[in-house]
């Protein structure tokens, strides 16, 4: 849970010496040094800015600083191109004065879209009349990313398990018109007077929906789960995305 930035005098009484070392992971999952990470310390509801990590004479990215005494404090780091890192640190209890903070890299992948015709099994490229969207939700980190065609050329992803939703909207060569509808909505309300505690009246309202002419229709999409391993994202190969489609519908049904 992200806490709002709050001015709190607790940040002025930093007593605990701490060394915060920052790193990231390479394509094989091995730890690498990462400097110029913006660091902060959260002690609810206060957020104390600490500064940036910098390489020392041994080449280790570290920030030597002080933090206020806090139970279940959180050391947090952020840098462009990386997912924010967090590490729980109870500065009022820990005898250890070192914290290792690892930031997960965001991998940029070029994307190629393919559509699968459900009637024939044919695999084809998108038509100019089609708009395609993919939504990627990382179940492990709460991270989300999207890809839209046309427009986007690449997507940023983290390692982990994803729930993926996609859909295709296509401009129609003919109009699809909805019929005029009248919808009646009824609710139970208390009757007037003392007896209203024991009985209710029903009041109804009719709403008229005029015909709507649509020049586009949803023709495809899918929902599925997929796990991206680090090797899948760290390589330079294009990410191929497939989505099944139906023909343009002839009517609303």
């Amino acid at each position: 849970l992200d806490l709002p930035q709050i001015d709190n005098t607790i940040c002025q009484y930093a007593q605990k010496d701490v060394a915060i070392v920052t790193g990231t992971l390479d394509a094989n999952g091995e730890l690498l040094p990462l400097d110029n990470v913006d660091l902060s310390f959260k002690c609810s509801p206060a957020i104390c800015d600490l500064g940036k990590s910098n390489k020392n004479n041994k080449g280790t990215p570290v920030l030597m600083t002080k933090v206020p005494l806090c139970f279940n404090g959180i050391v947090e780091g952020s840098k462009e191109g990386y997912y924010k890192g967090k590490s729980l640190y109870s500065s009022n209890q820990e005898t250890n004065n070192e914290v290792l903070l690892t930031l997960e890299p965001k991998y940029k992948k070029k994307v190629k879209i393919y559509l699968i015709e459900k009637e024939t099994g044919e695999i084809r490229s998108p038509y100019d009349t089609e708009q395609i969207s993919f939504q990627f939700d990382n179940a492990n980190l709460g991270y989300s990313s999207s890809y839209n065609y046309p427009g986007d050329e690449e997507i940023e992803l983290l390692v982990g398990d994803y729930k993926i939703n996609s859909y295709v909207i296509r401009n129609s060569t003919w109009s699809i018109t909805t019929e005029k509808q009248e919808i009646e909505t009824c609710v139970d309300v208390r009757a007037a007077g003392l007896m209203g505690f024991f009985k209710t009246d029903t009041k109804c309202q009719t709403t008229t929906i005029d015909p709507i002419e649509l020049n586009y229709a949803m023709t495809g999409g899918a929902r599925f789960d997929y796990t991206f391993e680090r090797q899948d994202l760290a390589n330079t190969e294009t990410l191929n995305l497939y989505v099944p489609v139906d023909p343009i519908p002839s009517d609303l049904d």
Side-chain angles (χ1 to χ4, degrees), residues 12-36:
Q12 301 175 19
Y13 297 95
Q15 304 176 45
K16 175 73 172 179
D17 289 306
V18 61
I20 305 172
V21 179
T22 54
T24 187
L25 301 169
D26 66 10
N28 298 314
E30 298 292 333
L31 191 63
L32 288 176
L34 182 68
D35 61 352
N36 289 321

Side-chain angles (χ1 to χ4, degrees), residues 58 69 95 107 117 130 158 166 172 174 206 227 246 253:
K58 295 182 179 179
L69 300 181
T95 57
Y107 296 95
E117 294 283 359
E130 292 172 320
L158 301 172
S166 66
S172 179
W174 57 83
T206 300
T227 299
D246 287 302
D253 290 339

Side-chain angles (χ1 to χ4, degrees), residues 89-100:
Y89 185 70
S90 294
S91 54
N92 66 329
Q93 295 180 339
E94 295 282 355
T95 57
N96 181 23
N97 65 345
E98 292 186 355
V99 177
L100 174 61

Side-chain angles (χ1 to χ4, degrees), residues 186-205:
C186 297
V187 294
D188 291 334
V189 296
R190 295 287 184 184
L194 184 61
M195 296 304 292
F197 287 101
F198 305 104
K199 63 179 182 177
T200 58
D201 289 340
T202 300
K203 290 190 175 181
C204 298
Q205 181 178 4

Side-chain angles (χ1 to χ4, degrees), residues 135-140 142-145 161-165 226:
Q135 178 71 27
F136 295 76
D137 294 314
N138 188 302
N140 310 105
Y143 172 80
S144 295
S145 186
D161 302 324
Y162 283 84
K163 294 186 179 298
I164 304 172
N165 290 325
Y226 190 81

Side-chain angles (χ1 to χ4, degrees), residues 15-57:
Q15 304 176 45
K16 175 73 172 179
D17 289 306
V18 61
I20 305 172
V21 179
T22 54
T24 187
L25 301 169
D26 66 10
N28 298 314
E30 298 292 333
L31 191 63
L32 288 176
L34 182 68
D35 61 352
N36 289 321
V37 176
D38 291 305
L39 296 167
S40 62
F41 184 73
K42 294 185 178 181
C43 183
S44 180
I47 303 176
C48 308
D49 290 327
L50 301 177
K52 292 178 180 286
S53 62
N54 290 289
K55 289 184 178 180
N56 59 18
N57 53 10

